[in-house]
Amino acid sequence: MAENRNSIVSLSAVELSRAIRSRAVSCREVMRAYLDHIGKLNPVFNAIVSLRDSEQLLQEANRCDSELSKGMQRGWMHGFPHAVKDLADAEGFPTTMGSTIFRNNIATGDSIFVRRIRQAGAIIIGKTNVPEFGLGSQTYNPVFGPTLNAFDGRSTSGGSSGGAAAGLALQMLPVADGSDLMGSLRNPAAFNNVIGFRPTPGLVPLSDSYIEELPCNGPMGRNVQDTALLLSTIAGYHASSPSSLNHDPAEFTRSLERDFKGVKVGWLSDFNGYLAMEDGILELCEKALQGFRDTGCIVDQVTLNFSMEELWETWLTFRHWLVRARALPLYENTEFRKLLKPELIWEIEGGADITGDRVATASYARGRWYKALLEAFTRYDYLVLPTAQVFPFDAKIHWPKYIAERNMDTYHRWMEVVVPGTLSGCPVINVPAGFSAAGLPMGLQVIGKRYADFATLQMACAYEQATRWNLDRHPPALSA
């Protein structure tokens, strides 16, 4: 039996699973502990929204206990409380996407990965907060308001998986799902000192599209092992998603231990000064590279043979094209248009003149970018760069207009550092890199070779053990 409720929520997901399976704690005790903890912290940080009735959740936990007493365990997440990112569907819960247009949009079924999480035994307790329509790496919206950073309760939690990351860091969730188009698994993980993994596209089924999509779903955790186990639950081919990969997700349940002596890591830094960086970030990240050296890796500076200005223009073409295709019906409805955030309108209107030729040109440019990475991967096993260009900033600011006196000409230019990873089609994981002088977290992106998701998790795990930033340092609110 756990000593108290706080000790239950502090267990890693792996530890919690073992405790439930061995009957050291009951599912009801777990649910009660998490609900009490959420009740204490969530009013301040606003990470979890659309929270379900407590008595109903406790009754569902009782049913999980009853199943265990009969020798039935649905999966490693049996009895886990879980909140789904509010861009995905969980049956019976609103999928608002942070928009007043969809405030009362109740899901009639589960997204594929949500169904898999339920089948693994989790109890869906609510949703995690997002920016409006998931746009911008800053979680605020007119339905639920902002989610605040786990480490100071004032700065942004990042986004778009901001609620998920803050909820994890504050121990309001054992693990969390997220999604990533422009760093939405990586940026909030960096800002809250947790793990966020963007897998190879298609590893986790996304939609019925016949093209490889730039957005993807992925796992988040307080540590790398927990993150890998959630990936083992949500990954795997699904017939309704033709771009999904026929990959055995059981691989991610294996031990992550590996000898990295002599493995080569390429440090991309700020792409030779191309990216604007807030003072202190490069110094912090370069110091954090020692974590790779401590695992036996050889770390060298690397320069890629590709124009980063061209990569940004390639990104804008894809981004406008994708966002316009999905949101144009809302824009064309004059009443709905009044309710759309300016950044979404800018994306839609920016895509108005995108032709098939322009998309094809962007596709060829992306192909050349991948070839530049392939060349780098002949010399290096992994590539590493900062996860963000600024430390977490005041949540009242929608987005930074300047970094190091350089103008940010779009609402997402300040997160340009994640674009290379997205357009690579490779797995990318955020690992903590330490803290600013103000005590706010930062992270590193580790890019692995395409389809080498397990190897990327192994590298992240070795680094995590060497540095222990996310294992040993927690938000002050947890000790208050």
Side-chain angles (χ1 to χ4, degrees):
M1 185 70 67
E3 293 180 4
N4 55 57
R5 288 174 179 170
N6 283 338
S7 67
I8 290 177
V9 301
S10 67
L11 294 173
S12 72
V14 170
E15 292 169 338
L16 180 63
S17 182
R18 290 171 181 162
I20 291 173
R21 184 173 64 250
S22 68
R23 310 299 296 277
V25 295
S26 70
C27 298
R28 182 182 179 89
E29 287 175 311
V30 171
M31 184 60 70
R32 183 73 273 167
Y34 269 94
L35 290 177
D36 287 351
H37 193 62
I38 291 168
K40 175 184 175 183
L41 295 182
N42 202 53
V44 175
F45 295 92
N46 194 36
I48 299 176
V49 298
S50 303
L51 188 65
R52 195 169 155 204
D53 177 73
S54 294
E55 285 306 310
Q56 292 179 351
L57 291 171
L58 290 169
Q59 289 174 15
E60 194 164 339
N62 288 341
R63 287 193 289 273
C64 288
D65 282 325
S66 178
E67 290 173 350
L68 286 175
S69 68
K70 298 173 184 176
M72 299 166 51
Q73 185 182 25
R74 282 178 273 165
W76 79 280
M77 298 180 75
H78 191 96
F80 274 36
H82 187 86
V84 176
K85 184 175 177 179
D86 199 20
L87 298 182
D89 286 339
E91 184 176 356
F93 289 86
T95 306
T96 75
M97 295 181 280
S99 168
T100 55
I101 297 171
F102 297 105
R103 183 192 296 270
N104 299 312
N105 175 38
I106 306 299
T108 57
D110 290 336
S111 296
I112 295 170
F113 77 88
V114 176
R115 189 181 318 129
R116 290 174 173 177
I117 288 171
R118 284 196 202 262
Q119 290 169 346
I123 300 170
I124 307 301
I125 64 171
K127 306 297 285 287
T128 54
N129 203 22
V130 298
E132 187 177 348
F133 293 107
L135 297 180
S137 294
Q138 217 280 54
T139 296
Y140 66 93
N141 64 65
V143 182
F144 300 112
T147 295
L148 303 179
N149 190 282
F151 279 80
D152 70 355
R154 179 187 66 82
S155 301
T156 177
S157 63
S160 62
S161 307
L168 271 177
L170 291 162
Q171 299 179 355
M172 291 193 279
L173 297 168
V175 288
D177 62 86
S179 56
D180 186 305
L181 173 58
M182 192 179 179
S184 292
L185 281 157
R186 295 162 280 164
N187 157 260
F191 278 9
N192 291 276
N193 198 44
V194 296
I195 306 298
F197 184 41
R198 175 189 168 90
T200 299
L203 188 61
V204 180
L206 185 64
S207 76
D208 57 4
S209 171
Y210 263 88
I211 61 172
E212 178 180 291
E213 297 175 282
L214 287 174
C216 67
N217 295 317
M220 305 180 79
R222 301 180 202 167
N223 61 58
V224 178
Q225 186 181 27
D226 289 354
T227 306
L229 278 179
L230 182 57
L231 183 59
S232 77
T233 299
I234 63 178
Y237 175 78
H238 194 279
S240 69
S241 180
S243 64
S244 60
L245 303 179
N246 191 12
H247 181 97
D248 184 4
E251 177 182 29
F252 304 111
T253 66
R254 290 166 38 197
S255 170
L256 296 173
E257 292 186 11
R258 175 183 161 190
D259 182 3
F260 280 91
K261 186 176 181 180
V263 167
K264 295 182 178 179
V265 173
W267 169 235
L268 294 170
S269 187
D270 58 359
F271 291 96
N272 295 321
Y274 170 78
L275 293 173
M277 291 280 177
E278 182 178 343
D279 287 347
I281 287 181
L282 284 182
E283 294 83 353
L284 182 68
C285 291
E286 287 170 355
K287 183 177 180 181
L289 294 176
Q290 184 61 39
F292 295 104
R293 297 186 179 99
D294 290 343
T295 70
C297 291
I298 300 167
V299 182
D300 291 318
Q301 184 97 23
V302 59
T303 298
L304 299 180
N305 184 26
F306 196 89
S307 164
M308 301 312 295
E309 289 90 348
E310 182 182 5
L311 196 68
W312 176 251
E313 291 304 316
T314 298
W315 167 252
L316 285 184
T317 296
F318 281 125
R319 175 102 176 180
H320 285 331
W321 181 50
L322 289 168
V323 174
R324 179 178 174 84
R326 294 180 179 182
L328 186 59
L330 299 177
Y331 179 84
E332 291 176 335
N333 182 310
T334 55
E335 292 304 311
F336 286 167
R337 189 188 306 178
K338 298 174 185 176
L339 302 175
L340 300 180
K341 64 192 295 186
E343 292 84 355
L344 177 55
I345 292 175
W346 175 80
E347 294 276 16
I348 295 169
E349 293 178 348
D353 61 350
I354 291 180
T355 63
D357 286 347
R358 185 171 164 187
V359 173
T361 297
S363 297
Y364 288 126
R366 187 185 177 197
R368 287 187 286 104
W369 165 241
Y370 182 65
K371 286 182 179 179
L373 288 173
L374 285 180
E375 193 280 327
F377 279 132
T378 64
R379 295 175 286 129
Y380 299 96
D381 300 284
Y382 301 90
L383 300 174
V384 176
L385 69 165
T387 302
Q389 295 167 239
V390 294
F391 288 108
F393 50 88
D394 193 324
K396 295 177 183 177
I397 300 171
H398 287 180
W399 49 277
K401 303 301 190 296
Y402 293 90
I403 300 177
E405 299 184 350
R406 289 198 219 172
N407 178 48
M408 299 292 104
D409 56 353
T410 75
Y411 76 101
H412 48 18
R413 189 79 180 226
W414 64 278
M415 280 299 298
E416 188 174 358
V417 70
V418 300
V419 168
T422 295
L423 290 178
S424 74
C426 297
V428 192
I429 192 166
N430 171 79
V431 292
F435 294 79
S436 70
L440 291 172
M442 181 45 57
L444 289 169
Q445 298 176 80
V446 180
I447 304 176
K449 296 176 182 178
R450 189 167 168 86
Y451 305 117
D453 297 79
F454 185 69
T456 305
L457 287 162
Q458 288 180 306
M459 178 77 265
C461 186
Y463 170 89
E464 174 183 73
Q465 294 301 316
T467 58
R468 300 191 63 85
W469 285 117
N470 54 311
L471 302 179
D472 294 342
R473 185 157 174 175
H474 306 291
L478 294 180
S479 57

